[in-house]
Amino acid sequence: MSDFGFHLAFWSLAAMTLGGASMIMISRNLIHAVIWLVMSMLGVAGLYLTLSADFIAVVQVLIYVGAISVLMLFAIMLTPRAERDNSQNMKTGGPAALVVILVMISTLWVAIDTDWGAVREAALTEQARLIGESLIKHYILPFEIGAVLLTAALVGAIALARQDDEDAAVHASSLQAELEGDASVDPVDVVDPPIPSDGEAGS
Amino acid sequence: MTDFAGLTSVLGSTLGAWYDFRDLNNLQRLITEWIADWGPDWLASIIAGVLGTLGILGVIGPTLLILIWVERKVIARFQQRYGPNRVGPKGLLQPVADAVKLILKEQLAPRAADKLIFFLPPVLIFVPGVLIWGVLPFGPRMSVADLNVGVLFLLAVSGTTVLVIFMAGWSSNNKYALFGAMRAVAMSISYEVPMVLALLTLVVFSGTMSINGIVEWQQQEDVIFILLFPLSAIAFFFAASAELNRTPADISEAESEIVAGYHTEYSGMRFGLFYAVELGNTLVVSAFIATFFLGGWWLWGLDQWVPSWIILLAKTGAVYFLLIWTRGTLPRLRVDQLMSFCWKALVPATLLFVVVAFVERTLLISEGWDTTVALPIMAVFNIALTLGAIMLFARVSRPAALRRPARIRMAGTEIGGLRAARQVASRTEEPQFQVGGD
Amino acid sequence: MIIGLEHYLVLGALLFCIGFFIALSKKNAIGVLIGVELMLNAVNLTLIAFSRFGSAEVALSTQVFVVFIIAVAAAEVAVGLALALVVYRNRQTISVDRTTLLKG
């Protein structure tokens, strides 16, 4: 790729990634936050492409955009009356900012100050094949453990999120009571209230 | 002067071989090579990209307009109607009239909608719809990007559509739009699993993730994958038609239940864009089914004589007709039926065939079986296995009413619904009927 | 200016810090999970940058490492969201400030 194209790609993708991440930080609506997260993830996938890691880039899109964000949206939808609100905790916000600034200074110091040695010019080719082979040959044990971990997570998530029939009945009746007690609640509102006056992103 | 010579060489070679339209890539390569002679690198790559995109869009646009007419006409034939026949000869101008109507209509937005997210989806949904075309090989060297992770790219890009649909449904602030969106999301993440597994069979067996590589493998071994892995093909067909929200599985826009699903609140051309992308996705999915399972641009040597992309288009048309056929004849399924079909039938079946593919690949590679002998045997074995699996499924999933002797049903249960049925059931010792069986 | 390893490292560090701040300061449990995902992505970005620019021996192993991180992240999100659902079902809230049953 030519130098100009590479610069353009890097800076725009970096802006997309960091911009998306910052918008998560200031966005007060959780669903907006997930959508900004998707934007940030797509930026990271594009950065992988500029690093000529095509396999990882595609996997990133497949898993983060196609699966994890959808899972998050599902979880948000399944917690109906919980706050959609994604605001900061004012009490811990200050100390957190302090810690984060310290971490930022130290990591940036390490990143810029260290002499990382010679830069390799050639990128890896045929990555999918190489990664597959090394997963099967050198990293077979972690690979198997990863498979077990994923299965365990799957079973665990189902076992946790499963609702017994009695629980479901209790839950439904409490929701119903809540509904009937609050006559001002519009049915549409109960299903999902997007926070209209968000005041972000020029909406 | 090099410019001039380059131009004449482009003209000369294109004109000299103007009849050689088997591979449109020749033309594009000549143009980019000519630019590379005098221009910078990035100009050549940008022009190559623009040409490829324009080529794709130039194919999609008119094809979509024709397809609207074809689909309506064919479905009308299935349902013993005439279909559109007023505007233009045989109703051919009907899609144009529809498009003009949609463009002229007012575009409404609900007052309580989440404005930014509401306006984005009709535009965003185009992105995956067009990107997918980029990896479709129209010929041996005719694809915009022949990625070596093409299959994965296809899955990743088609997976992002879900998010756009969710954005559309949620931001409308409409109950039915949200229902439709959640149904679409649940369906497409469920049906992605058999889709991935069906493609995994091919990837395992052919040993490549490049889509063109899969076609070339079929060409080398003189076999099409639908013969080797018929069940994967069937599962992929079902899963794809579910992902496309077409009628046997169109619960996300079932008009008798939830108005129009996630695009209830979209009017005018915004709705038109959703509709166009849906049709375009149907077309591209038929093309991919043709590519993966029917050999793509290759057809037993016929591709030496006929342009490869015409072969692909013919196969695509055949698959598309099959999709219209299922849409025209099958009734709409319920949500739970679709889900249980996916998880209880398609996933185990495709998983079985992944294992079969592993074993057969090992036999071919490690044991060194002769492919000319082994492949027909494997094909016969796999077809028998497929028939067995389908018969097993038919036997297991036969409606309960057919399996057990008929009993007198109580009228009360039919009228009173579930609650009455439960009350009656709790009174008697043995329930005489089944409540809410599959 | 040639874009090299440092650019990606700085970008990764900034992304990590944003994710860290989100994870520390958000009230909503799902918001915290989003922050954790951002941090994992920052680490992945750094690793891929080393894979591209670093020495040839680490080129492959970093990518394999990233594959594992992505797999573990997927498992973590699945379990984390299931936990959020359970918490919601019992407490009718997923705010991490209000789930303080163990606070004496």
Side-chain angles (χ1 to χ4, degrees):
Chain A
M1 202 192 287
S2 69
D3 212 35
F4 170 72
F6 193 81
H7 271 261
L8 186 69
F10 176 80
W11 291 112
S12 53
L13 287 168
M16 189 170 156
T17 309
L18 289 182
S22 326
M23 287 312 290
I24 299 171
M25 198 154 59
I26 58 177
S27 148
R28 302 224 1 257
N29 186 332
L30 202 51
I31 289 189
H32 286 190
V34 174
I35 287 163
W36 288 119
L37 175 75
V38 167
M39 183 175 136
S40 188
M41 297 294 162
L42 285 175
V44 173
L47 286 169
Y48 290 161
L49 281 184
T50 64
L51 290 166
S52 55
D54 48 0
F55 177 73
I56 302 285
V58 176
V59 167
Q60 165 95 0
V61 175
L62 186 66
I63 291 185
Y64 277 100
V65 180
I68 288 185
S69 61
V70 173
L71 209 63
M72 284 180 169
L73 291 173
F74 250 98
I76 295 170
M77 286 291 145
L78 285 173
T79 51
R81 306 300 305 272
E83 311 93 285
R84 291 274 193 280
D85 132 57
N86 187 35
S87 53
Q88 257 87 3
N89 184 339
M90 284 310 145
K91 258 191 303 189
T92 58
L98 201 68
V99 173
V100 167
I101 286 172
L102 284 179
V103 171
M104 194 193 296
I105 290 171
S106 52
T107 46
L108 287 183
W109 178 266
V110 171
I112 295 170
D113 194 53
T114 315
D115 178 22
W116 294 108
V119 163
R120 191 160 49 87
E121 285 305 321
L124 220 58
T125 51
E126 286 240 311
Q127 288 168 354
R129 178 181 297 276
L130 286 176
I131 290 174
E133 275 174 1
S134 60
L135 272 181
I136 292 296
K137 284 178 183 158
H138 303 291
Y139 299 95
I140 183 71
L141 191 63
F143 182 66
E144 293 293 331
I145 294 174
V148 172
L149 173 76
L150 280 176
T151 317
L154 182 74
V155 174
I158 292 172
L160 277 177
R162 222 181 112 115
Q163 214 168 6
D164 296 335
D165 285 348
E166 292 159 34
D167 282 0
V170 169
H171 184 59
S173 67
S174 74
L175 249 180
Q176 189 67 33
E178 221 172 313
L179 254 180
E180 279 159 5
D182 188 3
S184 66
V185 177
D186 192 322
V188 175
D189 228 288
V190 174
V191 176
D192 177 61
I195 301 166
S197 59
D198 200 355
E200 63 158 295
S203 58
Chain B
M1 287 321 269
T2 49
D3 310 11
F4 195 66
L7 186 62
T8 44
S9 90
V10 167
L11 284 177
S13 19
T14 44
L15 288 178
W18 63 270
Y19 51 86
D20 187 18
F21 55 99
R22 279 181 306 186
D23 197 341
L24 295 180
N25 202 25
N26 290 335
L27 183 62
Q28 172 161 359
R29 207 183 57 240
L30 280 172
I31 294 172
T32 46
E33 269 173 14
W34 171 59
I35 292 168
D37 277 349
W38 53 269
D41 281 355
W42 54 270
L43 187 66
S45 46
I46 285 176
I47 291 206
V50 167
L51 276 180
T53 317
L54 282 183
I56 287 174
L57 289 178
V59 173
I60 301 178
T63 319
L64 281 187
L65 280 181
I66 299 167
L67 276 185
I68 295 175
W69 179 80
V70 168
E71 182 147 359
R72 289 179 64 176
K73 210 70 179 169
V74 173
I75 287 223
R77 286 294 166 194
F78 279 125
Q79 298 168 345
Q80 305 198 332
R81 297 183 281 120
Y82 286 115
N85 61 355
R86 296 285 148 171
V87 192
K90 302 223 173 242
L92 259 173
L93 292 179
Q94 185 68 47
V96 182
D98 284 350
V100 170
K101 183 197 77 176
L102 282 177
I103 291 170
L104 292 181
K105 259 188 171 178
E106 188 187 354
Q107 302 185 348
L108 302 167
R111 190 178 297 158
D114 195 310
K115 287 291 179 307
L116 179 69
I117 302 186
F118 184 76
F119 292 137
L120 278 177
V123 184
L124 284 185
I125 202 158
F126 246 91
V127 177
V130 173
L131 273 182
I132 290 181
W133 285 91
V135 288
L136 180 67
F138 288 92
R141 280 168 295 132
M142 256 178 80
S143 59
V144 175
D146 186 16
L147 303 177
N148 59 355
V149 285
V151 175
L152 216 56
F153 177 85
L154 167 70
L155 292 168
V157 167
S158 63
T160 53
T161 317
V162 179
L163 208 72
V164 182
I165 288 178
F166 175 83
M167 282 165 71
W170 176 78
S171 63
S172 300
N173 200 14
N174 176 323
K175 210 193 306 189
Y176 299 112
L178 187 69
F179 285 166
M182 289 321 278
R183 282 181 178 191
V185 171
M187 276 247 301
S188 70
I189 57 176
S190 304
Y191 274 90
E192 204 144 89
V193 178
M195 209 160 153
V196 170
L197 289 175
L199 288 185
L200 186 62
T201 357
L202 309 190
V203 170
V204 163
F205 203 75
S206 63
T208 175
M209 268 208 283
S210 145
I211 295 175
N212 213 7
I214 289 179
V215 179
E216 272 163 4
W217 188 91
Q218 301 180 62
Q219 188 188 20
Q220 264 172 22
E221 307 291 341
D222 257 344
V223 69
I224 53 177
F225 263 125
I226 195 169
L227 294 178
L228 272 175
F229 298 105
L231 196 57
S232 300
I234 295 169
F236 189 83
F237 182 80
F238 279 135
S241 88
E243 294 242 331
L244 290 169
N245 299 323
R246 288 176 69 85
T247 285
D250 71 337
I251 49 163
S252 63
E253 42 197 79
E255 63 269 22
S256 56
E257 299 165 21
I258 47 171
V259 195
Y262 56 89
H263 50 60
T264 303
E265 293 290 354
Y266 287 91
S267 53
M269 204 48 209
R270 293 205 193 110
F271 163 74
L273 288 176
F274 276 114
Y275 188 69
V277 169
E278 214 159 273
L279 263 180
N281 283 347
T282 314
L283 187 67
V284 77
V285 159
S286 340
F288 273 111
I289 291 176
T291 302
F292 285 131
F293 293 103
L294 301 178
W297 44 262
W298 162 81
L299 191 74
W300 283 293
L302 192 67
D303 48 311
Q304 296 295 320
W305 309 100
V306 180
S308 52
W309 45 276
I310 290 187
I311 295 181
L312 180 70
L313 283 185
K315 289 178 178 177
T316 307
V319 179
Y320 193 80
F321 179 75
L322 211 59
L323 276 169
I324 300 180
W325 193 354
T326 51
R327 182 181 169 183
T329 43
L330 292 178
R332 179 179 297 136
L333 294 163
R334 279 198 324 254
V335 184
D336 58 321
Q337 286 169 335
L338 276 171
M339 286 295 169
S340 67
F341 178 64
C342 173
W343 289 105
K344 293 179 191 165
L346 286 186
V347 171
T350 43
L351 209 54
L352 171 76
F353 264 76
V354 170
V355 176
V356 169
F358 267 115
V359 172
E360 288 177 351
R361 169 86 177 168
T362 316
L363 288 180
L364 283 183
I365 299 298
S366 309
E367 304 292 316
W369 286 20
D370 188 14
T371 47
T372 49
V373 185
L375 282 181
I377 299 174
M378 285 171 183
V380 171
F381 176 74
N382 290 350
I383 290 173
L385 201 61
T386 302
L387 290 179
I390 291 175
M391 277 162 71
L392 184 74
F393 172 70
R395 181 176 274 276
V396 170
S397 70
R398 209 163 10 151
L402 289 179
R403 246 183 296 161
R404 61 182 63 153
R407 289 185 186 155
I408 304 160
R409 280 173 176 267
M410 286 181 136
T413 64
E414 299 293 328
I415 297 164
L418 212 60
R419 187 165 295 179
R422 284 221 182 93
Q423 284 170 359
V424 177
S426 62
R427 257 184 263 142
T428 50
E429 284 297 310
E430 276 181 71
Q432 306 244 318
F433 40 77
Q434 207 173 351
V435 179
D438 276 353
Chain C
M1 186 172 61
I2 298 164
I3 288 174
L5 181 59
E6 281 85 1
H7 289 79
Y8 287 96
L9 291 186
V10 167
L11 185 62
L14 289 178
L15 192 62
F16 183 88
C17 292
I18 294 176
F20 194 27
F21 182 69
I22 291 171
L24 283 183
S25 67
K26 287 290 177 190
K27 274 195 275 191
N28 196 306
I30 298 175
V32 174
L33 264 179
I34 291 176
V36 174
E37 287 309 310
L38 277 182
M39 288 158 73
L40 286 170
N41 262 275
V43 172
N44 285 351
L45 185 59
T46 314
L47 281 174
I48 294 290
F50 277 121
S51 153
R52 170 68 182 79
F53 294 112
S55 66
E57 304 97 76
V58 300
L60 194 57
S61 48
T62 41
Q63 297 217 3
V64 174
F65 198 17
V66 168
V67 171
F68 281 124
I69 291 179
I70 290 180
V72 172
E76 171 239 320
V77 167
V79 175
L81 291 176
L83 280 174
L85 280 192
V86 174
V87 169
Y88 171 75
R89 208 173 286 145
N90 291 327
R91 312 268 308 163
Q92 308 294 313
T93 176
I94 49 171
S95 166
V96 286
D97 297 342
R98 285 204 256 154
T99 46
T100 52
L101 219 59
L102 280 179
K103 195 178 178 184

